[in-house]
Amino acid sequence: MNFKNFPLVSKVVFGRGSIAQLNEIISPKRKNEKSPFIYLIDDVFENNNNIISNISLLYDDYIIFISSKDEPKTSQVDNLVEDIILKTKSTPSGIIGIGGGTLMDLAKAVSLMLTNNGSSDEYQGWDLIKNPAVYHVGIPTISGTGAEVSRTTVLNGPKMKLGINSDFTPFDQVILDPELTTGVKKNQWFYTGMDCFIHCVESLNGNFINTFSKSYGKMAYGLCKEVFLDDISFSESQNKLMMASWHGGMSIAFSQVGIVHALSYGLSYVLGIKHGLGNCIVFNQLDDFYNEDILLFRKMIKKHKILLPKNVCKNVSDIELNKMIDISFNLEPLWENAIGVNWKREISRSYIKSLFKKM
Amino acid sequence: MNFKNFPLVSKVVFGRGSIAQLNEIISPKRKNEKSPFIYLIDDVFENNNNIISNISLLYDDYIIFISSKDEPKTSQVDNLVEDIILKTKSTPSGIIGIGGGTLMDLAKAVSLMLTNNGSSDEYQGWDLIKNPAVYHVGIPTISGTGAEVSRTTVLNGPKMKLGINSDFTPFDQVILDPELTTGVKKNQWFYTGMDCFIHCVESLNGNFINTFSKSYGKMAYGLCKEVFLDDISFSESQNKLMMASWHGGMSIAFSQVGIVHALSYGLSYVLGIKHGLGNCIVFNQLDDFYNEDILLFRKMIKKHKILLPKNVCKNVSDIELNKMIDISFNLEPLWENAIGVNWKREISRSYIKSLFKKM
C-alpha cells in the first residue's frame, strides 16, 4: 500500500466541563456486572474532587492511581495487565485513562494487552497487534503530546523506546475538557505544549508531508503561536492548546516526526528525561535544521521565563552515550522524513555524539 | 447531555491516486461469497476508465450507476434498497459510494436502510436510526459538501428536506483522492466549493461555535480563500479544496449551519435547485447577516466569471412560496445558531418571503 489508511478516534466530545458526561457515555459499553470499568488515573489527582467526583464506581469497577514521574515502561504495562487479570472475574468492559501523555499511553497499552498474549515489548513496532483492544477512553489533563489522537503508545522496553503502532491503538472515545488542564505546573505546561509545537515543525518541514497533514500542522502551529506568544485569556489558552495538541497529533498521521524526536528518544531512554523536556533540550541544539522555528521557540522560552536544563549529558559514560546514539540512529523513518532516504550520507554517529555532548 | 459526542469517520486515506488501493482496503471486509460489495457510482463515470478500472467485481459484486442530476430522495433510497434486497442472496458486505454529495448521501442512506426496517423518510431527523449500517465507503469526486465526514445524509422526503442524523451515518472508510476531481465542470466546481465556504461562514459566525469547531472552520475558510482567490497550481487547488471540504464538514460537528442552509433547503425542496447552487443564490441576498464574507464571495464570483442565476422565484406560486417558507422556518436549530434562541422576534415569515422574492 502506498498511502497510509489512518484510523481515527471513534468518538470525541469537546467542551469545558464535559467530563461530567463520562458516566452517561460509558454506561452503554458495560458488558455485564462482572466486567468492570477500570480507571487509570494520574496520582496527582488522588484528592482532586473536580475529577474524582465525576467517576461512579459500580459493581467491580475500580481506580488505579499511577505516578507519571517516569515515562511508561513495557514492564509496567505487563504488571498492570497481570494485576487486572488476577483481580477481575471477566475481561474488563473498558479502560479509562485520565492524565497526561503517560496515562494516555498506559491506558492504550493496557487495553491492547488485555486481548493480546505475551509481553507488551513483543508488540513494539508497526502493526504487530493481532486482536482488537478492550474499549478504551482517553481523557487528557494536559495538552501537547497528541497521544489522545495517535495510533501509537510509546513505551520504554528492555531494548528500546518505541511505540506499539497499530490500527487498534487509537481510543474508542476521547473527552476533551480543557478545564481539566487547570493546575498544571508552568514548566510541565510549557514542555508538553512544546511537544505539540515540535510535532508541527517536524511534520511541516519533513519530506513525508502532504496536503492532509500540512493543513492540520499549520492549524496546530498557528494555535501554538497564539498560546505561547500572544496575550490571550487563560481559558482561551487552555481551549486552544487542547485543540493544538489534537491537530498536531493528526498532522503526523500521514507524516512523521523528525530529528528532535529521534534524539530525544535516546535521551529519555538512557537518562529517564521526560519526553516534553527532552524534546526541548534537543530542539534547542538543532539550529542547523529548524532555524526559524528555533528562534520562535527561544522567544517563547523567554516570554515564559523557562530555564532549560543545561549539560544534561555531562556525566554520561561512553557506553551510555553509545546506547543513546544506537536508539536515535535506529529510528530510520524519522531521519528519512527529516533529511531524505540518503540521510546516512549526511548524519554520522560522531555528529549525533557531538549534538548530545552540547545538550 | 450538554456536549455532543461526535462520531468520526473510522479510517481515512489521503493521496493522489489513492483510489488504486480500494480493493486492498475493502477485501478484508468481505463477509462471504454471497455478500457482495455494491458500488453506487455517479453515471457521469460510466465510461471513465480512470475510476472503473480500479473496481474489481468478484462473486456477486455489482455496480449501480446513478444520475446526480436531481437531489437524492427518500423514495429513491427505498427503491435502491428494495432492488438490492431482491437481487442479493445475503446482506451486502459493503456499499461503496463514488461521486459528489448526492452519491455520498445515497451510499450512506442505503447502507443504513439495509439494516433498518421501513421507509427512509421515517428516519429523517435526529438519532432515529436503531441498528448499525452495513459497512460503507465514501469516495468523493468533487469537493465542498463535507458529506464525506458528516453524521447526516440529507434527503428530500414526502414532507421535507431533512437529514438522517445518527451515529451510524458516518462512513467506515473514506478515500480522499484529489485526482478524482479532474474533469468537474467549472460551475459545479464553484458552487460545490462555495458549499464549503458557506459552511465555514455559518459555523464561524454562529452562536454554537466552540474552539473545536472554530479551529476546523478557520482552517477550511483559509483553504477556500487560497483556492478561490489566490493563484495556485491546479493540483494544489484540488488537494486544498478536498481538505477544505473535510475540515469544513468537521467545523459543523459541534456547531451548526445557519440562514443560508435554512433558506436553501426551502429552495431545493420546491424548485429542485441543487444544494451548492441554491446556497450561492441565497448567500448572495444575505448582506444583512454575513456582510464581509459576501464581499469576498462576490470577489470569487468575479474572478471565476460565474453567472449566478437570477429571479429563480419569479414564477413561484403562493402555495409553493408558503411551502418554501414552512421548510425554512421549521429548521429551528439553524436559526438559533445564526440569530439566537429568540430568533422568532427578529425573523418573520414575511421577511423570509421578501428574501425569497429577491432571489
Side-chain angles (χ1 to χ4, degrees):
Chain A
M1 191 166 307
N2 299 309
F3 301 99
K4 281 194 236 173
N5 192 10
F6 193 78
L8 301 176
V9 165
S10 306
K11 293 185 92 172
V12 60
V13 176
F14 177 93
R16 298 182 72 83
S18 57
I19 194 179
Q21 291 171 209
L22 175 58
N23 288 313
E24 199 180 333
I25 289 169
I26 64 173
S27 291
K29 301 291 179 182
R30 187 183 294 277
K31 290 190 283 183
N32 57 58
E33 297 176 12
K34 287 180 184 162
S35 294
F37 285 113
I38 299 168
Y39 298 80
L40 309 186
I41 307 184
D42 192 309
D43 64 5
V44 297
F45 298 123
E46 200 157 351
N47 298 307
N48 182 319
N49 205 42
N50 286 339
I51 287 180
I52 305 302
S53 66
N54 289 295
I55 294 168
S56 298
L57 298 178
L58 296 175
Y59 310 111
D60 296 340
D61 298 352
Y62 63 98
I63 298 176
I64 307 175
F65 288 105
I66 298 173
S67 162
S68 61
K69 222 183 71 207
D70 298 320
E71 296 225 294
K73 292 183 190 66
T74 53
S75 58
Q76 186 184 13
V77 171
D78 295 344
N79 289 336
L80 280 165
V81 171
E82 209 182 303
D83 283 357
I84 289 171
I85 290 172
L86 284 173
K87 203 165 167 180
T88 55
K89 295 168 196 145
S90 181
T91 309
S93 292
I95 300 293
I96 296 112
I98 305 181
T102 297
L103 268 294
M104 292 298 101
D105 278 352
L106 284 174
K108 291 199 270 187
V110 166
S111 69
L112 286 166
M113 293 312 299
L114 281 167
T115 52
N116 288 275
N117 288 330
S119 165
S120 53
D121 67 86
E122 295 165 35
Y123 298 95
Q124 285 180 289
W126 282 268
D127 302 307
L128 302 170
I129 290 283
K130 298 280 179 296
N131 305 311
V134 160
Y135 172 75
H136 49 305
V137 179
I139 309 179
T141 60
I142 185 167
S143 300
T145 67
E148 67 279 14
V149 81
S150 72
R151 78 185 282 280
T152 192
T153 158
V154 184
L155 302 171
N156 284 297
K159 294 194 202 101
M160 57 198 164
K161 177 175 177 176
L162 188 63
I164 300 178
N165 299 269
S166 91
D167 283 356
F168 302 118
T169 307
F171 285 110
D172 297 297
Q173 173 75 55
V174 168
I175 298 179
L176 297 176
D177 181 348
E179 276 182 4
L180 300 181
T181 65
T182 306
V184 172
K185 288 191 184 121
K186 191 178 165 189
N187 271 0
Q188 213 187 342
W189 164 78
F190 185 84
Y191 296 140
T192 310
M194 283 305 106
D195 191 16
C196 174
F197 182 67
I198 292 166
H199 286 156
C200 299
V201 171
E202 295 192 295
S203 165
L204 291 170
N205 291 287
N207 292 305
F208 296 173
I209 195 77
N210 65 11
T211 311
F212 187 101
S213 283
K214 200 172 188 169
S215 66
Y216 281 101
K218 279 174 87 168
M219 176 161 51
Y221 184 88
L223 288 166
C224 283
K225 285 208 307 190
E226 286 184 61
V227 168
F228 292 103
L229 291 174
D230 294 352
D231 293 309
I232 58 176
S233 75
F234 179 61
S235 64
E236 267 292 276
S237 156
Q238 287 182 309
N239 295 350
K240 286 187 170 172
L241 194 54
M242 194 157 263
M243 285 317 300
S245 177
W246 176 266
H247 295 314
M250 281 302 297
S251 82
I252 312 168
F254 290 93
S255 176
Q256 184 50 278
V257 285
I259 306 174
V260 187
H261 277 73
L263 297 180
S264 111
Y265 272 32
L267 213 58
S268 289
Y269 190 83
V270 173
L271 301 178
I273 292 175
K274 290 214 69 181
H275 182 65
L277 173 58
N279 276 352
C280 288
I281 293 171
V282 172
F283 193 43
N284 201 32
Q285 300 301 336
L286 297 185
D287 300 73
D288 289 355
F289 301 96
Y290 304 117
N291 190 271
E292 272 179 40
D293 293 315
I294 288 174
L295 297 179
L296 222 53
F297 168 70
R298 290 190 187 130
K299 250 193 197 171
M300 295 172 181
I301 290 247
K302 200 175 164 192
K303 181 175 164 80
H304 298 287
K305 303 186 178 67
I306 302 294
L307 284 173
L308 209 54
K310 282 181 182 164
N311 300 319
V312 295
C313 293
K314 198 173 58 182
N315 298 318
V316 171
S317 70
D318 271 359
I319 294 172
E320 286 176 320
L321 203 53
N322 274 320
K323 181 75 196 166
M324 280 158 64
I325 299 166
D326 284 345
I327 286 175
S328 303
F329 214 70
N330 279 337
L331 293 161
E332 301 220 2
L334 283 62
W335 292 102
E336 251 187 69
N337 180 44
I339 296 177
V341 277
N342 297 318
W343 63 275
K344 280 184 185 165
R345 284 191 205 152
E346 286 184 46
I347 304 294
S348 62
R349 290 180 64 93
S350 60
Y351 177 67
I352 295 182
K353 190 172 178 172
S354 74
L355 286 172
F356 277 129
K357 284 279 193 188
K358 282 199 280 181
M359 290 172 197
Chain B
M1 192 166 305
N2 299 310
F3 301 99
K4 281 194 236 172
N5 193 10
F6 193 78
L8 302 176
V9 164
S10 306
K11 293 184 92 172
V12 60
V13 176
F14 177 93
R16 298 182 73 82
S18 57
I19 195 179
Q21 292 172 207
L22 174 58
N23 288 314
E24 199 180 333
I25 289 170
I26 65 173
S27 291
K29 302 290 178 184
R30 187 183 294 278
K31 289 191 283 185
N32 57 58
E33 296 176 13
K34 286 180 184 162
S35 294
F37 285 112
I38 299 169
Y39 298 80
L40 309 186
I41 307 184
D42 192 309
D43 66 4
V44 296
F45 298 123
E46 201 157 350
N47 299 307
N48 182 319
N49 205 41
N50 285 338
I51 287 180
I52 305 302
S53 66
N54 289 295
I55 294 168
S56 298
L57 298 178
L58 297 176
Y59 310 112
D60 296 340
D61 298 351
Y62 63 99
I63 299 176
I64 308 175
F65 287 105
I66 299 173
S67 163
S68 61
K69 221 183 71 208
D70 298 319
E71 296 226 295
K73 292 183 189 65
T74 53
S75 57
Q76 185 183 15
V77 171
D78 295 344
N79 289 337
L80 280 164
V81 170
E82 208 181 305
D83 283 356
I84 289 171
I85 290 172
L86 284 174
K87 201 165 168 181
T88 55
K89 295 169 196 144
S90 180
T91 309
S93 293
I95 301 293
I96 296 111
I98 306 180
T102 298
L103 268 293
M104 293 298 101
D105 278 353
L106 284 174
K108 291 200 271 188
V110 166
S111 69
L112 286 167
M113 293 312 300
L114 281 166
T115 53
N116 288 275
N117 289 330
S119 165
S120 53
D121 66 84
E122 296 165 35
Y123 298 95
Q124 284 180 290
W126 281 269
D127 302 306
L128 302 169
I129 290 283
K130 297 280 180 296
N131 305 312
V134 159
Y135 172 76
H136 50 304
V137 179
I139 308 178
T141 60
I142 185 167
S143 300
T145 67
E148 67 279 15
V149 81
S150 73
R151 79 186 281 281
T152 193
T153 158
V154 185
L155 302 172
N156 283 298
K159 293 194 202 104
M160 57 196 163
K161 176 175 176 175
L162 188 63
I164 300 178
N165 299 269
S166 91
D167 283 355
F168 302 118
T169 309
F171 285 110
D172 298 297
Q173 173 75 57
V174 168
I175 298 179
L176 298 176
D177 180 348
E179 276 181 5
L180 300 181
T181 65
T182 306
V184 172
K185 287 189 186 126
K186 192 177 164 189
N187 271 359
Q188 212 187 343
W189 164 79
F190 185 85
Y191 296 139
T192 310
M194 283 304 106
D195 191 16
C196 175
F197 182 67
I198 291 166
H199 286 157
C200 299
V201 170
E202 295 192 297
S203 166
L204 291 170
N205 290 288
N207 292 306
F208 296 174
I209 194 78
N210 65 10
T211 310
F212 186 101
S213 283
K214 199 172 189 170
S215 66
Y216 281 101
K218 280 174 85 167
M219 174 159 54
Y221 184 89
L223 288 167
C224 283
K225 287 209 306 190
E226 286 185 60
V227 167
F228 292 102
L229 291 174
D230 294 352
D231 293 309
I232 57 176
S233 75
F234 179 61
S235 64
E236 267 292 276
S237 158
Q238 287 183 309
N239 295 349
K240 287 187 170 172
L241 193 54
M242 193 157 264
M243 285 316 301
S245 176
W246 176 266
H247 296 315
M250 281 301 297
S251 83
I252 312 169
F254 290 93
S255 177
Q256 184 50 278
V257 284
I259 307 174
V260 187
H261 278 74
L263 298 180
S264 113
Y265 272 32
L267 212 59
S268 289
Y269 190 83
V270 174
L271 300 178
I273 292 176
K274 289 216 69 182
H275 182 65
L277 172 59
N279 276 351
C280 288
I281 293 170
V282 172
F283 194 42
N284 201 32
Q285 300 301 336
L286 297 185
D287 300 71
D288 288 354
F289 301 96
Y290 304 117
N291 189 271
E292 273 180 39
D293 294 314
I294 288 175
L295 297 179
L296 223 51
F297 167 71
R298 291 191 186 128
K299 250 192 198 174
M300 294 171 181
I301 290 245
K302 200 173 164 194
K303 181 174 164 83
H304 298 287
K305 303 185 178 68
I306 302 294
L307 285 173
L308 210 53
K310 282 181 181 163
N311 300 320
V312 294
C313 293
K314 200 173 56 183
N315 299 319
V316 172
S317 70
D318 270 358
I319 294 172
E320 286 176 319
L321 203 52
N322 274 320
K323 181 76 196 165
M324 279 158 65
I325 299 167
D326 285 345
I327 286 176
S328 303
F329 214 70
N330 280 336
L331 292 162
E332 302 219 1
L334 284 60
W335 292 101
E336 253 187 66
N337 179 45
I339 295 176
V341 277
N342 296 319
W343 64 274
K344 280 184 185 164
R345 285 192 204 152
E346 288 185 44
I347 304 294
S348 62
R349 290 181 64 93
S350 61
Y351 178 67
I352 295 182
K353 190 172 177 173
S354 73
L355 286 173
F356 277 130
K357 285 278 194 191
K358 283 199 280 181
M359 290 174 199

